[in-house]
Amino acid sequence: MLSVAVLISGTGSNLRALLEAASEPGYPARIVAVGADRDAAGLAHAAEFGVETFTVPYRQHASREEWGAALAEHLRRVDADLIVLSGLMRLLPADLVEEFSPRIINTHPAFLPEFPGAHGVRDALAAGAVQTGASVIIVDNGVDSGPILAQERIPVLDGDDEATLHERIKPVERRLLIDVVRRIAEGDIDLAHPVR
Ligand code: GAR
């Protein structure tokens, strides 16, 4: 059974989908902890499923490195096989990525390498893209630049705004994320040697 820690910043709707999947008999991973960089609404989903939560407030630390060191302490204690960034809206410091690499994956609301960063949906609309997508990647020290594990195209529709487009992307992200975590657990994806 693969143990998974999830890090979030927001509403945690993708986290919730993973919690639901992991509570199904036969799913080969379980969520052991959910952490956040702020008082994130999504922590309530973890509590509902009886999963440990922790918060490492970014703003209470003097630098990204200090925040990352405090976060790494929690991650060491939790000792999960896999760390999933599910809407964590912070760049992880290099030390943390190096310590846990390649066991950190991230879900992103665009077809990487298109539209990396904090505003993947907004940037796709601003560029006038006719299609965007969803991606699940291994986290490296760049901004959404790690190896791609799964991705899928999603059309941009006439009249889409950031909210409507993001709400159409999220169900695809959930499906990809649940599938990627399963494939990692089953040994179908080797994070040290990812091939697509
Ligand atoms: C998701 O769309 C996730 O891909 C995105 O934040 C959303 C979180 O939604 N992450 C990024 O944009 C990271 N660059 P949720 O809190 O409802 O799961």
Side-chain angles (χ1 to χ4, degrees):
M1 185 68 82
L2 188 85
S3 62
V4 180
V6 183
L7 299 178
I8 63 167
S9 296
T11 56
S13 64
N14 290 350
L15 159 69
R16 186 174 183 94
L18 195 56
L19 284 162
E20 286 172 356
S23 69
E24 292 288 326
Y27 193 77
R30 70 197 157 99
I31 315 295
V32 293
V34 176
D37 64 325
R38 64 192 76 176
D39 188 17
L43 291 173
H45 299 304
E48 197 183 311
F49 280 76
V51 171
E52 176 201 328
T53 63
F54 61 85
T55 305
V56 184
Y58 187 83
R59 293 187 190 285
Q60 288 176 20
H61 293 82
S63 65
R64 180 182 312 281
E65 286 65 34
E66 282 188 20
W67 170 73
L71 180 59
E73 276 185 32
H74 280 279
L75 293 173
R76 269 180 227 121
R77 177 180 55 76
V78 165
D79 196 24
D81 300 317
L82 179 71
I83 299 163
V84 174
L85 310 188
S86 185
L88 181 75
M89 302 308 284
R90 299 276 175 202
L91 278 182
L92 295 173
D95 282 359
L96 190 150
V97 173
E98 270 154 34
E99 178 173 346
F100 295 96
S101 178
R103 298 182 295 112
I104 313 175
I105 66 170
N106 181 36
T107 171
H108 184 75
F111 197 87
L112 292 169
E114 299 167 8
F115 311 117
H119 304 292
V121 182
R122 190 186 307 171
D123 292 347
L125 283 170
V130 295
Q131 54 178 359
T132 181
S135 306
V136 178
I137 62 169
I138 297 177
V139 172
D140 68 5
N141 268 325
V143 178
D144 298 321
S145 56
I148 294 164
L149 299 173
Q151 62 184 169
E152 197 168 306
R153 282 288 188 191
I154 295 153
V156 178
L157 302 181
D158 283 349
D160 258 339
D161 60 22
E162 190 175 352
T164 60
L165 181 54
H166 205 166
E167 282 315 306
R168 280 211 327 288
I169 292 171
K170 280 187 181 183
V172 179
E173 283 190 78
R174 287 172 199 143
R175 180 162 43 73
L176 294 181
L177 181 61
I178 289 165
D179 187 53
V180 163
V181 171
R182 175 199 297 280
R183 288 166 57 206
I184 293 169
E186 291 177 344
D188 184 36
I189 292 176
D190 176 1
L191 291 174
H193 305 97
V195 276
R196 267 208 312 147

